[in-house]
Amino acid sequence: MRTERVKFAPSRRAKLVLYGLMCVLAVPFVFPTWWMVTSSLKPANEIFAFPPTLWPTDATFAAYGRVFDFAPFAAQYWNSMYIAALVTFGTLAVSSLAGYAFARIRFPGHNLLFLVVLAGLLIPSEVTIVPLFQMFNGLGLVDTHWPLILVPIFGAPSVLATLIMRQFFIALPGELEEAGRMDGLGRFGLYWKIALPLSRPALGAVGIFSFLHSWNLYLEPVVFLSTPAKFTLPQALTQFTDAYGGPMWDVQLSAATMSALPVLIVFVVAQRQFVEGLAHTGLKG
């Protein structure tokens, strides 16, 4: 007996209600960004005016120019950019190799070793910051960018990335690698020519996670860096204060707006891979 699958098609009214509800729910998420961007274009005395204005009455870009007068913001922007790029590529390399090994290579105690690696997610970064500072201080790497690059690549963010990559590689059919073995590929060849090209969705998710984590990192820069020209953006945003130590809100909001742009661009460009990566990592355990 043949059964036909009935597809449910919502009415136009139901779609309008759904879209309206989604717009209302989006307001708490969109409004802070809107307030940040529009307030960066307002004079300082208008930012906290009552009643508040949703759009500046006299828009000005003067605060954006002052950002570069009060601090070496261009150098700090470059610091965050290249550190986030190195951390992202380093995490992709380490997590994809480790995830493939845990998914495909069977050796005595591999499950126990994987549990030990996952235990790294349970340790807060605040617990390890003092030993890490002593280690990097002994190596002469304090007030350099090396701790901000090495710690995320080999720390807890890489553990989460390894878990995502392992789950994705487990879900890949083993027949694909059997065909590769018949063509004479070794273990690394199977990883490089078959598994890695097919893992683009997972790599996209890991890349976004890694970039955002490095871009928003605050504790480690505060601990390891002391020279303003070497600061990253999260640390630099706290330095825009007046002679009395009060925050210069228009300058801070202008700097924050410029700091948020790369994050928005990365997510818009890679959002499809991000969603697909999260979907595929739960197919098979």
Side-chain angles (χ1 to χ4, degrees):
M1 182 176 179
R2 185 178 179 181
T3 59
E4 295 183 358
R5 183 177 297 178
V6 179
K7 295 183 178 180
F8 173 74
S11 64
R12 185 176 181 180
R13 180 178 297 179
K15 289 183 178 179
L16 291 176
V17 172
L18 178 61
Y19 292 154
L21 180 61
M22 293 176 64
C23 290
V24 172
L25 294 177
V27 170
F29 301 96
V30 176
F31 182 75
T33 303
W34 172 267
W35 185 86
M36 177 185 69
V37 175
T38 56
S39 296
S40 68
L41 301 175
K42 298 177 182 178
N45 58 353
E46 188 184 346
I47 295 177
F48 295 103
F50 187 84
T53 57
L54 295 179
W55 186 259
T57 56
D58 187 16
T60 175
F61 289 90
Y64 284 86
R66 295 169 61 197
V67 170
F68 298 92
D69 295 334
F70 284 95
F73 192 73
Q76 294 164 348
Y77 208 99
W78 166 250
N79 293 338
S80 285
M81 186 67 71
Y82 96 86
I83 290 173
L86 290 179
V87 168
T88 300
F89 286 112
T91 302
L92 288 174
V94 172
S95 63
S96 62
L97 284 168
Y100 181 79
F102 282 119
R104 288 291 190 256
I105 301 176
R106 293 292 181 262
F107 54 89
H110 74 280
N111 287 328
L112 178 60
L113 180 60
F114 185 65
L115 290 177
V116 173
V117 173
L118 288 182
L121 293 174
L122 305 178
I123 303 175
S125 58
E126 295 80 3
V127 174
T128 60
I129 195 67
V130 173
L132 286 173
F133 179 85
Q134 293 177 341
M135 181 184 71
F136 285 111
N137 187 41
L139 296 173
L141 298 179
V142 172
D143 202 24
T144 70
H145 293 150
W146 281 109
L148 310 185
I149 297 173
L150 297 177
V151 172
I153 292 178
F154 298 102
S158 188
V159 174
L160 177 60
T162 299
L163 173 63
I164 294 175
M165 297 304 301
R166 174 185 177 271
Q167 294 303 108
F168 187 90
F169 287 134
I170 287 178
L172 289 179
E175 292 78 5
L176 297 173
E177 294 189 0
E178 292 297 332
R181 289 192 182 93
M182 295 179 63
D183 292 336
L185 293 178
R187 178 61 69 182
F188 185 79
L190 295 174
Y191 157 80
W192 183 255
K193 294 185 177 181
I194 297 179
L196 193 62
L198 294 174
S199 64
R200 289 181 181 178
L203 291 174
V206 170
I208 291 180
F209 278 133
S210 303
F211 186 90
L212 292 181
H213 179 269
S214 177
W215 189 263
N216 296 324
L217 204 62
Y218 179 73
L219 176 62
E220 284 77 0
V222 170
V223 172
F224 291 111
L225 301 179
S226 57
T227 304
K230 298 179 180 179
F231 286 176
T232 56
L233 288 179
Q235 186 180 8
L237 292 178
T238 64
Q239 306 300 311
F240 295 104
T241 57
D242 57 24
Y244 301 98
M248 298 184 294
W249 290 107
D250 54 341
V251 179
Q252 283 190 353
L253 292 171
S254 301
T257 300
M258 289 187 284
S259 301
L261 286 178
V263 176
L264 295 176
I265 293 173
V266 168
F267 186 79
V268 169
V269 171
Q271 62 177 332
R272 181 177 179 181
Q273 287 80 5
F274 176 74
V275 175
E276 290 181 0
L278 294 182
H280 282 80
T281 53
L283 289 180
K284 185 177 179 181

